[in-house]
Each structure stands twice: as C-alpha cells, then as structure tokens.
C-alpha cells in the first residue's frame, strides 16, 4: 500500500529513521489515538462502536509512556503536531459530535494496521535507535504472537458483525480512504519536518 511506503514510513521501513523523527511520529500518533479513543468512548452506546471497544487495543497510554521514555517528562510542551494531524483530530471530533459510525473506519485503519505490522516496526525501531527492552516501543506491544493473532481475528470478526444501516458501509469505506490519505500526508509532513 502506498501509505505504508510514503514519507517517514519509507525511512522507518528502510532503517533510516532518526530518534527525533521517530519521537515526532509517536507524538502525532498520541494525539490521533487520544482523539480516536475519546471519540470511541463517547459513542460506546452505539452497538457498532461497542463491538470495537477493547482495552487491549487502546494505545494512548503506551504512546505516552514511550514519549516520556524517549523525550522526557516535558514531551507535551516541547513537541508540535503536524498540520495533517491537527486536521485529523478535528475530523475525529466532528465525527464524534455527530455520532457518526464513520469512526469505525478510523479504528479499522489504526488498530488493524498496528496489529498487522507493529511487531516488525518495533524490531526495526529498536535496532535502528539502539533501544533497550521495550523502551520506546510499548506502542507496538499487543502481547505474545498468539495474543496478537487472537486480537487481530477478534477485531476483524467485530468489523464483520457490525450492525450497519443502509449506506453506512459505503460511508465507512469512504472514510477509511480519507484516513489512509491523511496518514500519507502526515508521513510526508514528518519526513520534511
């Protein structure tokens, strides 16, 4: 997929990422997950959203831990969001306020992406940045390989069981396409930052 190979992600996959750019990536993902997970909690009475609620997938706390480990306690004061991420957060807030099931698309894009490639990315980051143990890579930790596979299967099953109304599947697909384009924009901005 083009998104996975664009901008900063291309550098990460090639082992060329710097510590500063990796920290910038984590900071932007922290803001994204904060907005997404807050929106999902706000919509948890919706049966479609409730199917996707699982604490094992939540990433906000792990990202905060990684940022503190890599940047120190002042990470929230010294790092800045990219314009693409500010737009992304705004979109998630609008969807949450409207009670839109399009939030499903964002959960799909983020959680399945992390479950599918996170462990490989963790190894790349650890090797490139000479990190010790889980330092800076807790974000990618979804448990043992068996637990990761089970979580991936359970999440896909939940997506397949969504009680959608007419037209909502198209809405979710369109929103997922927007999310992939926005991720590509973010990765390009981070590479040139």
């Amino acid at each position: 997929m083009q998104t996975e190979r664009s901008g900063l992600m291309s550098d990460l996959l090639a082992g060329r990422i710097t510590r500063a750019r990796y920290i910038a990536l984590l900071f932007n993902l922290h803001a994204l997950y904060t907005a997404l997970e807050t929106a999902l909690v706000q919509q948890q009475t919706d049966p479609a959203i409730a199917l996707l609620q699982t604490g094992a997938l939540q990433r906000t706390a792990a990202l905060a831990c990684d940022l503190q480990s890599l940047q120190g306690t002042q990470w929230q004061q010294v790092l800045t969001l990219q314009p693409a991420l500010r737009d992304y957060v705004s979109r998630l807030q609008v969807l949450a306020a409207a009670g839109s099931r399009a939030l499903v698309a964002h959960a799909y894009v983020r959680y399945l992406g992390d479950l599918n490639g996170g462990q490989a990315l963790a190894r790349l980051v650890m090797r490139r940045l000479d990190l010790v143990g889980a330092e800076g890579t807790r974000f990618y930790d979804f448990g043992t390989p068996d637990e990761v596979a089970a979580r991936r299967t359970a999440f896909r099953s939940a997506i397949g069981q969504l009680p959608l109304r007419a037209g909502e599947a198209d809405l979710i697909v369109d929103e997922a396409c927007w999310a992939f384009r926005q991720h590509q924009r973010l990765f390009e901005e981070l590479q040139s930052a």
Side-chain angles (χ1 to χ4, degrees), residues 25-92:
L25 172 64
L26 294 184
F27 181 68
N28 280 269
L29 290 177
H30 180 269
L32 190 160
Y33 274 104
T34 299
L36 175 60
E37 291 171 356
T38 298
L40 291 172
V41 167
Q42 290 172 346
Q43 300 303 115
Q44 65 188 356
T45 57
D46 181 324
I49 301 296
L51 280 171
L52 306 178
Q53 294 290 319
T54 172
L57 294 180
Q58 294 180 348
R59 301 287 92 195
T60 302
L63 282 159
C65 189
D66 286 342
L67 285 160
Q68 183 166 334
S69 173
L70 295 171
Q71 183 67 38
T73 58
Q74 300 298 311
W75 60 270
Q76 290 178 308
Q77 288 75 35
V78 298
L79 299 170
T80 58
L81 290 178
Q82 294 300 310
L85 212 288
R86 287 193 298 270
D87 293 346
Y88 203 130
V89 166
S90 177
R91 180 136 177 162
L92 290 171

